[in-house]
Amino acid sequence: MPDPRIAQKAPYVMDMEPGSYIYCGCGLSTKQPFCDNAHKGTEFEGQKGVAMLVEIEEEGTKAWCGCKHTKTPPFCDGSHEKL
Ligand code: FES
């Protein structure tokens, strides 16, 4: 995948309900940390990890990666501190 855009250099920490979510991996979405299809028609379209389906099984707090450089997508692994 081309180098993703850094949406923010920090995670989006959110209280989540169980359900299906689509994580934005390219950083172009205006509805961070979720996909709004902004990747369509760009170099990111069709790339692996751009629109990632995530199943949340239990309610709880999640730290979604905002920098898009995590090694453990869709969640923050601290990589943003090295950007
Ligand atoms: Fe991307 Fe933390 S926000 S690794």
Side-chain angles (χ1 to χ4, degrees), residues 10-11 65-70 76-80:
C65 172
C67 74
K68 314 303 177 182
H69 287 72
T70 180
C76 174
D77 69 353
S79 294
H80 62 270

Side-chain angles (χ1 to χ4, degrees), residues 10-77:
Y12 295 92
V13 180
M14 303 172 74
D15 293 326
M16 302 302 300
E17 298 291 329
S20 300
Y21 300 89
I22 301 180
Y23 171 73
C24 166
C26 68
L28 298 179
S29 173
T30 59
K31 299 214 167 26
Q32 293 296 328
F34 306 113
C35 177
D36 71 353
N37 284 324
H39 60 271
K40 293 224 163 133
T42 73
E43 61 188 335
F44 294 105
E45 185 166 0
Q47 300 285 333
K48 190 169 182 277
V50 165
M52 176 185 289
L53 178 62
V54 182
E55 301 285 351
I56 302 288
E57 312 246 315
E58 294 178 10
E59 81 174 62
T61 304
K62 301 289 182 195
W64 301 89
C65 172
C67 74
K68 314 303 177 182
H69 287 72
T70 180
K71 305 273 191 299
T72 58
F75 303 116
C76 174
D77 69 353

